[in-house]
Amino acid sequence: MRLLFCCLLALLALPAAAQLTESFTDGNFTQNPAWAGDAASFEVNAQLQLQTNGPATTGTVLQLSTASTTANGATWEFYANLKLATSSGNYADVWLLSEQADLKGAGNRGYFVRLGGTPDEVSLFRKDATGSPVYVVNGRDQSLNSATNNLARVRVTRSLADGWTLEVDYTGTGQSYQLEGIGEDNTYLQSNYLGVLLTYSSSNSRNFLFDDFKVTDRLAPSVVRATPTAARQLDVVFDEAVATPQATGSYQLNGGPAVLTATRDAQNQNVVHLTLAADLPTGSNALVLRNIADLAGNVLAGPFTLSFTNSGFAILPGVNQVIITEILADETPVVGLPASEYLEIYNPTANIINLSGVRLLKPGSSGNPAVFPATATLLPGEYAVVCGSTRAEQFASYGKVFGVSNFPSLSNGGDQLVLRSPTSQTLFEVRYSDTWYKDSEKQEGGWALEMIDTTNPCGGLENWTSSTDPSGGTPGRANAVRTANADNRPPALQRALALTAASIRLFFSEKLDSVAAANPALYSVSGQSIAQVAPISPDFRAIDLTLTSPLQPSQPVTVSVQRATDCVGNATGAAATATVALPSAAARGDVVINEILFNPRTGGYDFVELLNRSAKYINLQGWQLGNEKPDGVVDASAISEVPFVLAPGQLVVLTERPDVVQAQYPTSAEPTAFLEVDDLATFPDDAGIVTLFDRSGAPFERVPYSAKQHLALLDDVNGVSLERIRADGGNDAANYHSAAASVGYATPGRRNSQLQEDPAGTKLFSVEPELFTPDADGQQDFTTLNYTLDQTGYAASVTIYDAQGRPVRKLVRNETLPTKGFVQWDGLTDQGRKAGVGIYVLHIELFRPNGGTKREYKRTVVVGARF
């Protein structure tokens, strides 16, 4: 009894740390309570009011704060007088709840009252770690309309249900409060500081006065629920932060095990963790609470009995034990769902999942992750909506909702989302794209993406589609599109890359089982020993191998993977191999522009294909691809920020949207050859110059192109690429031709449909092929006049005559020739019409301008047609 009495006295004697009264009657602001910040720019004046005395400089921002932990079920009051005309450059922010002592901090979070600003109003705002402040209560405009004397005594009340009330007495007496508005917001439930943050122009450095700060919390805490978290662990949740438990005697289980310890949660002071002396009985239980105090010293005297059921305790989730099953990234136009982005999560296990501390984030984003609260759980087979904290009310009718701070902004076109445990283990990852809708109308907005088969959580495009529910989605319940869609395919090794002389990265076609993939016995490298194996998070589609001895430049080795297991257990049978080498320095001409699509189909995207025609392995990291404009300015984009190595003879397709290009050329594209490039330079549809720069920024390759290079017989050149005819040829127009119709008018990542091998032999002039059919079917669409000259300095003219000796096409006119090359004829006349079927003569005039030597040659060619 004496112990209980002493504990009660201790609780009643708790300092009211969460309450605050400051009227500056002691003549200072450095103690009782202590304020800190830009202290040299403030003073307590003769009227015993806090007054600014800062630099007389336009744009000055001053701040002063003091400790205050009151956050809920409280009232904040203060007096202010702004002796100035408020504006966008002259206003005061009085922070009621602040996470940081430095109110200027860019990542600070909490709530503040703004006096002034452009609307000349008194309003309540919420400030998140990123983004602009948002209204909680929007006060009346022009309520502060004096140029010299804006009095305001402000009173803000927050209920335990997170309802906010803003009142202002513009006489400053506290006798004539007017209601400015009400609002609801539950984003922030804790506070560390209260303070003032002031912005002014040069003439207003002494024109801010404050007094009578008062924070009042007179409500005792109330218990919300008790949740078993382990056989001998019980979490008790209150509606506000509670004081550090003074004795385990404050908590007692009726007829149950003794409570050994009571510990307040370090992150969420609303939660107390109880440790029990024995296992908690299953079924109904009763917890008795006595003398629980909040941070202001308000005591729930009790005894208060809370009944709860132990139907099993929540466990921390493992990989794919909590998954994202629905995504609404584009909420407009509204179909039937709330106009708000959301995710749906699902518990596919037979256990209660403890989501406490689980983080939702977008890799690469600079913002803080969203964190699930300490009390968040998900029952077996249960769905829940996850959205921004201010949007939770919109989804209340859909079932369980987690409104979290820092909910990521979901990009309409696609994003990567990750769920991570408190220990940073990747629990689930998805990288969605708007192509997953598989419906052009639903892709425009208002419809959710839904997972088809929740037993196939690693499936991408094949396991997601647009919702078929009339409302646009099924938040909080089983998806409308659910059906069996198992993944029965094992992962494939796609390529290998030497990151450094001592490390190799392997890329796979799908997500791997990260535990199984970490086994070194599964891998071998010819002539090497492996020191370490590291699966790469968050999607585990890549594995890094660390070698014991260095690779040599452009000396290939073979990597072998004995078995690879995907994240749902499919394993490869036979070993897979890949060739890899340490890159060498590239020389001009090693990498060429092999194919260009500059005028894509409707809804399509440009692409440029590169070819490594050397015997080297070349790293494209840091290289750039761009469009050279007529004024010489180049609009360039980085090809890859990470290592990307081209093997000898390898092709790579550069585009913003590989998925779209592959969808438009399904039979002629090679998906493994694509490399996604953010913000690829725009290539004009009429003419331009494709430029390639190496990692030093030096020009490496330059190919002018024009729509006029396309085969003139084509009625529509949209979606038709220009292909390089000869890999070893030059970058002139004669070495490019429209891709063939038989392959869909482009071959991204595959052998060019118009590729022509350099003819063998030493004849001065030869025609290849001697019979051609210019019909864009990909079979002998053009012919080439090939030449090999005995010395430099020759110029040539080539005229084509029909069988009657009539000139048909002036193909070349007095052009200087290199010693080896070719001239292309596409079968068209000078008038742009297709030449008729028959025999034609190529009359060649070769002369040396300096020596006066002239030679003439004739070669025949046949224009045919397919029937």
Side-chain angles (χ1 to χ4, degrees):
M1 178 65 74
R2 181 181 179 188
L3 175 60
L4 178 59
F5 179 71
C6 291
C7 292
L8 176 59
L9 287 179
L11 286 169
L12 294 175
L14 282 171
Q19 300 189 85
L20 180 143
T21 301
E22 173 66 285
S23 58
F24 307 104
T25 54
D26 56 2
N28 69 72
F29 57 84
T30 58
Q31 56 186 353
N32 299 322
W35 297 68
D38 298 315
S41 295
F42 290 86
E43 65 182 18
V44 176
N45 61 22
Q47 289 74 40
L48 299 180
Q49 295 176 325
L50 182 68
Q51 184 174 1
T52 53
N53 187 22
T57 304
T58 296
T60 297
V61 180
L62 303 177
Q63 66 99 8
L64 206 61
S65 64
T66 187
S68 175
T69 55
T70 299
N72 206 352
T75 299
W76 292 262
E77 299 174 80
F78 63 89
Y79 165 91
N81 188 2
L82 277 58
K83 294 181 173 292
L84 48 84
T86 61
S87 66
S88 61
N90 292 278
Y91 58 90
D93 291 343
V94 179
W95 282 74
L96 311 180
L97 282 72
S98 175
E99 185 176 69
Q100 303 176 19
D102 181 10
L103 307 180
K104 301 177 187 177
N108 195 24
R109 302 184 294 179
Y111 300 93
F112 64 82
V113 173
R114 174 163 292 177
L115 297 94
T118 302
D120 300 322
E121 65 185 8
V122 180
S123 293
L124 177 65
F125 287 87
R126 185 188 82 242
K127 174 64 173 66
D128 300 321
T130 59
S132 301
V134 296
Y135 280 109
V136 177
V137 176
N138 187 355
R140 293 176 295 113
D141 291 356
Q142 299 298 311
S143 58
L144 301 179
N145 54 18
S146 172
T148 58
N149 195 50
N150 289 295
L151 288 170
R153 190 173 289 270
V154 179
R155 182 166 65 194
V156 178
T157 303
R158 182 184 192 181
S159 71
L160 292 175
D162 297 306
W164 295 82
T165 302
L166 173 63
E167 300 172 281
V168 183
D169 178 357
Y170 293 100
T171 69
T173 64
Q175 303 299 314
S176 305
Y177 279 106
Q178 302 177 36
L179 178 65
E180 287 292 328
I182 60 176
E184 291 186 6
D185 193 284
N186 67 346
T187 304
Y188 303 116
L189 303 176
Q190 297 188 54
S191 176
N192 297 316
Y193 299 94
L194 172 147
V196 294
L197 179 66
L198 313 173
T199 302
Y200 62 79
S201 56
S202 59
S203 60
N204 294 316
S205 61
R206 290 183 51 79
N207 291 344
F208 294 84
L209 294 90
F210 298 94
D211 204 352
D212 298 335
F213 287 93
K214 188 176 182 180
V215 184
T216 307
D217 176 8
R218 293 192 177 95
L219 297 176
S222 61
V223 65
V224 177
R225 63 180 176 272
T227 304
T229 58
R232 300 187 180 187
Q233 296 288 328
L234 183 65
D235 280 0
V236 185
V237 183
F238 296 90
D239 62 353
E240 62 174 313
V242 296
T244 303
Q246 299 298 305
T248 56
S250 297
Y251 304 90
Q252 182 180 358
L253 283 161
N254 275 349
V259 177
L260 299 179
T261 63
T263 307
R264 188 177 64 184
D265 188 87
Q267 302 299 322
N268 187 347
Q269 297 180 359
N270 295 32
V271 180
V272 174
H273 306 294
L274 303 183
T275 303
L276 311 180
D279 290 355
L280 184 69
T282 57
S284 298
N285 288 269
L287 177 67
V288 180
L289 302 96
R290 296 180 174 87
N291 305 316
I292 309 298
D294 64 14
L295 300 183
N298 302 305
V299 179
L300 173 64
F304 180 86
T305 302
L306 174 68
S307 298
F308 66 96
T309 300
N310 177 21
S311 56
F313 54 84
I315 64 171
L316 294 174
V319 176
N320 292 328
Q321 291 185 336
V322 57
I323 61 178
I324 296 172
T325 52
E326 190 167 332
I327 303 168
L328 181 66
D330 188 356
E331 69 274 27
T332 55
V334 171
V335 174
L337 298 170
S340 178
E341 296 178 350
Y342 72 84
L343 304 176
E344 177 188 79
I345 59 174
Y346 172 63
N347 175 4
T349 76
N351 300 309
I352 301 173
I353 294 298
N354 179 9
L355 295 174
S356 173
V358 170
R359 292 174 289 163
L360 167 66
L361 67 154
K362 292 201 311 182
S365 173
S366 59
N368 293 326
V371 181
F372 287 84
T375 58
T377 60
L378 207 56
L379 299 177
E382 186 177 29
Y383 295 86
V385 174
V386 184
C387 59
S389 57
T390 61
R391 305 299 180 94
E393 188 64 28
Q394 298 182 35
F395 294 95
S397 63
Y398 291 90
K400 181 172 284 188
V401 180
F402 296 115
V404 293
S405 301
N406 302 316
F407 182 80
S409 176
L410 307 178
S411 299
N412 296 347
D415 250 327
Q416 185 180 28
L417 299 169
V418 177
L419 292 173
R420 283 209 176 112
S421 74
T423 59
S424 296
Q425 179 189 21
T426 297
L427 304 175
F428 179 80
E429 181 271 346
V430 61
R431 188 191 295 268
Y432 71 89
S433 165
D434 58 8
T435 58
W436 288 16
Y437 287 96
K438 307 180 181 84
D439 186 308
S440 59
E441 291 186 10
K442 292 181 178 180
Q443 184 176 326
E444 294 304 313
W447 293 85
L449 286 170
E450 294 185 346
M451 183 182 284
I452 297 171
D453 188 347
T454 57
T455 67
N456 178 16
C458 303
L461 171 67
E462 300 83 1
N463 198 40
W464 286 76
T465 191
S466 51
S467 177
T468 56
D469 191 89
S471 70
T474 55
R477 56 190 173 94
N479 290 343
V481 301
R482 67 189 185 281
T483 190
N485 187 37
D487 174 11
N488 298 314
R489 294 176 302 176
L493 175 62
Q494 293 180 319
R495 62 188 179 95
L497 168 69
L499 296 176
T500 67
S503 63
I504 295 174
R505 177 165 292 179
L506 307 180
F507 296 87
F508 292 84
S509 60
E510 57 179 312
K511 301 176 186 179
L512 302 180
D513 179 331
S514 60
V515 176
N519 182 3
L522 299 177
Y523 310 92
S524 63
V525 180
S526 58
Q528 292 280 347
S529 297
I530 299 173
Q532 184 178 354
V533 176
I536 307 302
S537 67
D539 60 359
F540 300 113
R541 292 175 181 265
I543 305 291
D544 279 357
L545 307 179
T546 302
L547 309 178
T548 57
S549 56
L551 300 172
Q552 299 303 311
S554 290
Q555 297 299 311
V557 296
T558 301
V559 181
S560 177
V561 182
Q562 300 303 318
R563 185 177 69 256
T565 306
D566 67 19
C567 77
V568 293
N570 298 311
T572 55
T577 61
T579 301
V580 63
L582 187 67
S584 299
R588 290 288 297 273
D590 285 347
V591 178
V592 295
I593 294 169
N594 196 55
E595 187 173 355
I596 310 167
L597 179 67
F598 54 87
N599 49 351
R601 299 170 185 166
T602 301
Y605 287 80
D606 294 353
F607 73 75
V608 174
E609 179 187 79
L610 305 181
L611 165 68
N612 179 3
R613 63 182 186 183
S614 74
K616 304 173 184 176
Y617 287 76
I618 297 172
N619 187 3
L620 299 183
Q621 181 181 17
W623 288 41
Q624 292 185 311
L625 183 75
N627 169 48
E628 183 179 326
K629 299 178 181 179
D631 59 2
V633 175
V634 178
D635 176 21
S637 307
I639 290 176
S640 178
E641 301 292 347
V642 297
F644 188 92
V645 175
L646 273 184
Q650 184 180 349
L651 299 168
V652 62
V653 183
L654 310 176
T655 181
E656 285 186 0
R657 292 294 299 270
D659 53 345
V660 174
V661 175
Q662 292 166 27
Q664 291 191 340
Y665 301 95
T667 62
S668 60
E670 176 52 56
T672 60
F674 280 75
L675 180 61
E676 183 175 342
V677 177
D678 293 333
D679 299 322
L680 183 71
T682 301
F683 297 102
D685 290 351
D686 54 351
I689 302 174
V690 182
T691 53
L692 182 66
F693 299 88
D694 64 19
R695 64 187 309 167
S696 70
F700 192 87
E701 176 88 338
R702 185 175 183 273
V703 177
Y705 70 85
S706 169
K708 295 178 181 179
Q709 291 175 244
H710 279 300
L711 181 64
L713 297 176
L714 296 174
D715 295 329
D716 184 4
V717 297
N718 291 319
V720 182
S721 71
L722 285 177
E723 293 182 330
R724 195 180 193 93
I725 297 172
R726 292 187 184 170
D728 292 334
N731 294 341
D732 53 297
N735 198 27
Y736 288 86
H737 193 277
S738 301
S742 60
V743 296
Y745 293 111
T747 54
R750 293 189 178 180
R751 174 189 170 97
N752 286 352
S753 63
Q754 304 293 11
L755 180 65
Q756 188 182 86
E757 302 296 343
D758 194 7
T762 59
K763 292 176 64 176
L764 193 63
F765 289 98
S766 63
V767 176
E768 178 68 29
E770 295 181 347
L771 167 63
F772 73 109
T773 55
D775 52 13
D777 65 350
Q779 303 294 320
Q780 291 86 41
D781 284 337
F782 57 90
T783 189
T784 55
L785 174 65
N786 307 289
Y787 57 84
T788 303
L789 306 179
D790 57 356
Q791 57 184 300
T792 60
Y794 284 107
S797 293
V798 179
T799 305
I800 300 173
Y801 294 88
D802 63 14
Q804 284 74 41
R806 293 171 297 192
V808 171
R809 179 79 175 268
K810 296 177 180 178
L811 199 60
V812 175
R813 274 291 167 266
N814 298 324
E815 290 187 13
T816 302
L817 302 181
T819 56
K820 185 176 181 180
F822 70 95
V823 178
Q824 176 198 145
W825 183 36
D826 55 11
L828 299 184
T829 67
D830 284 333
Q831 289 73 38
R833 292 190 292 269
K834 181 180 176 181
V837 174
I839 299 174
Y840 292 83
V841 176
L842 279 68
H843 180 233
I844 307 156
E845 298 175 282
L846 191 66
F847 57 93
R848 292 180 59 85
N850 294 333
T853 304
K854 182 179 179 180
R855 303 174 187 173
E856 295 187 45
Y857 305 86
K858 292 181 181 180
R859 296 290 183 269
T860 59
V861 65
V862 177
V863 174
R866 298 185 186 277
F867 300 97

PDB file of all heavy atoms in Angstrom, residues 4-22:
ATOM      1  N   LEU A   4       2.236   1.900  -3.482  1.00  0.00           N
ATOM      2  CA  LEU A   4       1.247   2.477  -4.368  1.00  0.00           C
ATOM      3  C   LEU A   4       1.030   3.948  -4.063  1.00  0.00           C
ATOM      4  O   LEU A   4       0.922   4.792  -4.949  1.00  0.00           O
ATOM      5  CB  LEU A   4      -0.076   1.712  -4.246  1.00  0.00           C
ATOM      6  CG  LEU A   4      -1.244   2.232  -5.094  1.00  0.00           C
ATOM      7  CD1 LEU A   4      -0.852   2.208  -6.562  1.00  0.00           C
ATOM      8  CD2 LEU A   4      -2.491   1.405  -4.844  1.00  0.00           C
ATOM      9  N   PHE A   5       1.006   4.292  -2.758  1.00  0.00           N
ATOM     10  CA  PHE A   5       0.806   5.683  -2.359  1.00  0.00           C
ATOM     11  C   PHE A   5       1.964   6.554  -2.831  1.00  0.00           C
ATOM     12  O   PHE A   5       1.770   7.657  -3.352  1.00  0.00           O
ATOM     13  CB  PHE A   5       0.658   5.752  -0.836  1.00  0.00           C
ATOM     14  CG  PHE A   5       0.466   7.166  -0.315  1.00  0.00           C
ATOM     15  CD1 PHE A   5      -0.730   7.830  -0.553  1.00  0.00           C
ATOM     16  CD2 PHE A   5       1.475   7.815   0.378  1.00  0.00           C
ATOM     17  CE1 PHE A   5      -0.909   9.134  -0.096  1.00  0.00           C
ATOM     18  CE2 PHE A   5       1.299   9.102   0.837  1.00  0.00           C
ATOM     19  CZ  PHE A   5       0.107   9.762   0.610  1.00  0.00           C
ATOM     20  N   CYS A   6       3.171   6.026  -2.723  1.00  0.00           N
ATOM     21  CA  CYS A   6       4.350   6.789  -3.166  1.00  0.00           C
ATOM     22  C   CYS A   6       4.319   6.996  -4.679  1.00  0.00           C
ATOM     23  O   CYS A   6       4.650   8.072  -5.185  1.00  0.00           O
ATOM     24  CB  CYS A   6       5.638   6.059  -2.777  1.00  0.00           C
ATOM     25  SG  CYS A   6       5.942   6.044  -0.992  1.00  0.00           S
ATOM     26  N   CYS A   7       3.887   5.948  -5.383  1.00  0.00           N
ATOM     27  CA  CYS A   7       3.799   6.082  -6.837  1.00  0.00           C
ATOM     28  C   CYS A   7       2.778   7.130  -7.215  1.00  0.00           C
ATOM     29  O   CYS A   7       2.980   7.916  -8.147  1.00  0.00           O
ATOM     30  CB  CYS A   7       3.427   4.742  -7.461  1.00  0.00           C
ATOM     31  SG  CYS A   7       4.731   3.502  -7.321  1.00  0.00           S
ATOM     32  N   LEU A   8       1.637   7.156  -6.492  1.00  0.00           N
ATOM     33  CA  LEU A   8       0.613   8.143  -6.784  1.00  0.00           C
ATOM     34  C   LEU A   8       1.129   9.543  -6.549  1.00  0.00           C
ATOM     35  O   LEU A   8       0.924  10.452  -7.362  1.00  0.00           O
ATOM     36  CB  LEU A   8      -0.619   7.874  -5.908  1.00  0.00           C
ATOM     37  CG  LEU A   8      -1.766   8.879  -6.029  1.00  0.00           C
ATOM     38  CD1 LEU A   8      -2.244   8.919  -7.487  1.00  0.00           C
ATOM     39  CD2 LEU A   8      -2.901   8.524  -5.095  1.00  0.00           C
ATOM     40  N   LEU A   9       1.865   9.738  -5.456  1.00  0.00           N
ATOM     41  CA  LEU A   9       2.431  11.061  -5.189  1.00  0.00           C
ATOM     42  C   LEU A   9       3.406  11.459  -6.291  1.00  0.00           C
ATOM     43  O   LEU A   9       3.444  12.618  -6.724  1.00  0.00           O
ATOM     44  CB  LEU A   9       3.142  11.059  -3.829  1.00  0.00           C
ATOM     45  CG  LEU A   9       2.237  11.021  -2.584  1.00  0.00           C
ATOM     46  CD1 LEU A   9       3.095  11.008  -1.333  1.00  0.00           C
ATOM     47  CD2 LEU A   9       1.276  12.207  -2.565  1.00  0.00           C
ATOM     48  N   ALA A  10       4.173  10.469  -6.737  1.00  0.00           N
ATOM     49  CA  ALA A  10       5.143  10.781  -7.790  1.00  0.00           C
ATOM     50  C   ALA A  10       4.440  11.214  -9.058  1.00  0.00           C
ATOM     51  O   ALA A  10       4.867  12.154  -9.736  1.00  0.00           O
ATOM     52  CB  ALA A  10       6.026   9.552  -8.066  1.00  0.00           C
ATOM     53  N   LEU A  11       3.338  10.562  -9.405  1.00  0.00           N
ATOM     54  CA  LEU A  11       2.594  10.934 -10.601  1.00  0.00           C
ATOM     55  C   LEU A  11       1.989  12.310 -10.470  1.00  0.00           C
ATOM     56  O   LEU A  11       2.018  13.122 -11.394  1.00  0.00           O
ATOM     57  CB  LEU A  11       1.503   9.906 -10.875  1.00  0.00           C
ATOM     58  CG  LEU A  11       1.985   8.549 -11.431  1.00  0.00           C
ATOM     59  CD1 LEU A  11       0.849   7.545 -11.398  1.00  0.00           C
ATOM     60  CD2 LEU A  11       2.546   8.708 -12.822  1.00  0.00           C
ATOM     61  N   LEU A  12       1.429  12.598  -9.301  1.00  0.00           N
ATOM     62  CA  LEU A  12       0.804  13.898  -9.105  1.00  0.00           C
ATOM     63  C   LEU A  12       1.826  15.012  -9.089  1.00  0.00           C
ATOM     64  O   LEU A  12       1.513  16.170  -9.372  1.00  0.00           O
ATOM     65  CB  LEU A  12       0.006  13.896  -7.790  1.00  0.00           C
ATOM     66  CG  LEU A  12      -1.206  12.954  -7.767  1.00  0.00           C
ATOM     67  CD1 LEU A  12      -1.845  12.955  -6.384  1.00  0.00           C
ATOM     68  CD2 LEU A  12      -2.234  13.363  -8.814  1.00  0.00           C
ATOM     69  N   ALA A  13       3.067  14.657  -8.737  1.00  0.00           N
ATOM     70  CA  ALA A  13       4.107  15.684  -8.668  1.00  0.00           C
ATOM     71  C   ALA A  13       4.855  15.867  -9.977  1.00  0.00           C
ATOM     72  O   ALA A  13       5.829  16.607 -10.042  1.00  0.00           O
ATOM     73  CB  ALA A  13       5.106  15.308  -7.570  1.00  0.00           C
ATOM     74  N   LEU A  14       4.402  15.202 -11.061  1.00  0.00           N
ATOM     75  CA  LEU A  14       5.086  15.356 -12.352  1.00  0.00           C
ATOM     76  C   LEU A  14       5.080  16.808 -12.801  1.00  0.00           C
ATOM     77  O   LEU A  14       4.055  17.485 -12.724  1.00  0.00           O
ATOM     78  CB  LEU A  14       4.396  14.506 -13.421  1.00  0.00           C
ATOM     79  CG  LEU A  14       4.704  13.003 -13.409  1.00  0.00           C
ATOM     80  CD1 LEU A  14       3.770  12.310 -14.380  1.00  0.00           C
ATOM     81  CD2 LEU A  14       6.136  12.727 -13.753  1.00  0.00           C
ATOM     82  N   PRO A  15       6.206  17.322 -13.299  1.00  0.00           N
ATOM     83  CA  PRO A  15       6.211  18.695 -13.814  1.00  0.00           C
ATOM     84  C   PRO A  15       5.344  18.796 -15.048  1.00  0.00           C
ATOM     85  O   PRO A  15       5.290  17.887 -15.860  1.00  0.00           O
ATOM     86  CB  PRO A  15       7.695  18.935 -14.146  1.00  0.00           C
ATOM     87  CG  PRO A  15       8.252  17.564 -14.391  1.00  0.00           C
ATOM     88  CD  PRO A  15       7.523  16.662 -13.445  1.00  0.00           C
ATOM     89  N   ALA A  16       4.665  19.913 -15.206  1.00  0.00           N
ATOM     90  CA  ALA A  16       3.792  20.124 -16.371  1.00  0.00           C
ATOM     91  C   ALA A  16       4.612  20.552 -17.568  1.00  0.00           C
ATOM     92  O   ALA A  16       4.491  21.655 -18.083  1.00  0.00           O
ATOM     93  CB  ALA A  16       2.732  21.165 -16.036  1.00  0.00           C
ATOM     94  N   ALA A  17       5.492  19.647 -18.024  1.00  0.00           N
ATOM     95  CA  ALA A  17       6.411  19.984 -19.113  1.00  0.00           C
ATOM     96  C   ALA A  17       5.683  20.297 -20.396  1.00  0.00           C
ATOM     97  O   ALA A  17       6.174  21.044 -21.234  1.00  0.00           O
ATOM     98  CB  ALA A  17       7.390  18.833 -19.317  1.00  0.00           C
ATOM     99  N   ALA A  18       4.501  19.696 -20.555  1.00  0.00           N
ATOM    100  CA  ALA A  18       3.781  19.910 -21.803  1.00  0.00           C
ATOM    101  C   ALA A  18       2.967  21.184 -21.785  1.00  0.00           C
ATOM    102  O   ALA A  18       2.437  21.597 -22.796  1.00  0.00           O
ATOM    103  CB  ALA A  18       2.871  18.721 -22.066  1.00  0.00           C
ATOM    104  N   GLN A  19       2.833  21.836 -20.617  1.00  0.00           N
ATOM    105  CA  GLN A  19       2.102  23.088 -20.533  1.00  0.00           C
ATOM    106  C   GLN A  19       3.086  24.248 -20.505  1.00  0.00           C
ATOM    107  O   GLN A  19       4.231  24.101 -20.086  1.00  0.00           O
ATOM    108  CB  GLN A  19       1.222  23.115 -19.285  1.00  0.00           C
ATOM    109  CG  GLN A  19       0.205  21.982 -19.284  1.00  0.00           C
ATOM    110  CD  GLN A  19      -0.802  22.137 -18.180  1.00  0.00           C
ATOM    111  OE1 GLN A  19      -1.792  22.826 -18.336  1.00  0.00           O
ATOM    112  NE2 GLN A  19      -0.535  21.507 -17.065  1.00  0.00           N
ATOM    113  N   LEU A  20       2.629  25.403 -20.955  1.00  0.00           N
ATOM    114  CA  LEU A  20       3.541  26.546 -21.058  1.00  0.00           C
ATOM    115  C   LEU A  20       2.772  27.827 -20.791  1.00  0.00           C
ATOM    116  O   LEU A  20       1.654  27.995 -21.290  1.00  0.00           O
ATOM    117  CB  LEU A  20       4.172  26.572 -22.449  1.00  0.00           C
ATOM    118  CG  LEU A  20       5.168  27.692 -22.761  1.00  0.00           C
ATOM    119  CD1 LEU A  20       6.291  27.166 -23.638  1.00  0.00           C
ATOM    120  CD2 LEU A  20       4.486  28.871 -23.463  1.00  0.00           C
ATOM    121  N   THR A  21       3.379  28.704 -19.996  1.00  0.00           N
ATOM    122  CA  THR A  21       2.852  30.050 -19.778  1.00  0.00           C
ATOM    123  C   THR A  21       4.021  31.013 -19.861  1.00  0.00           C
ATOM    124  O   THR A  21       5.016  30.848 -19.150  1.00  0.00           O
ATOM    125  CB  THR A  21       2.165  30.169 -18.415  1.00  0.00           C
ATOM    126  OG1 THR A  21       1.096  29.225 -18.345  1.00  0.00           O
ATOM    127  CG2 THR A  21       1.608  31.571 -18.210  1.00  0.00           C
ATOM    128  N   GLU A  22       3.929  32.005 -20.725  1.00  0.00           N
ATOM    129  CA  GLU A  22       5.011  32.971 -20.907  1.00  0.00           C
ATOM    130  C   GLU A  22       4.409  34.347 -21.176  1.00  0.00           C
ATOM    131  O   GLU A  22       3.786  34.577 -22.215  1.00  0.00           O
ATOM    132  CB  GLU A  22       5.913  32.538 -22.069  1.00  0.00           C
ATOM    133  CG  GLU A  22       6.976  33.552 -22.460  1.00  0.00           C
ATOM    134  CD  GLU A  22       8.028  33.783 -21.394  1.00  0.00           C
ATOM    135  OE1 GLU A  22       7.694  34.477 -20.403  1.00  0.00           O
ATOM    136  OE2 GLU A  22       9.152  33.268 -21.535  1.00  0.00           O
TER     137      GLU A  22
END
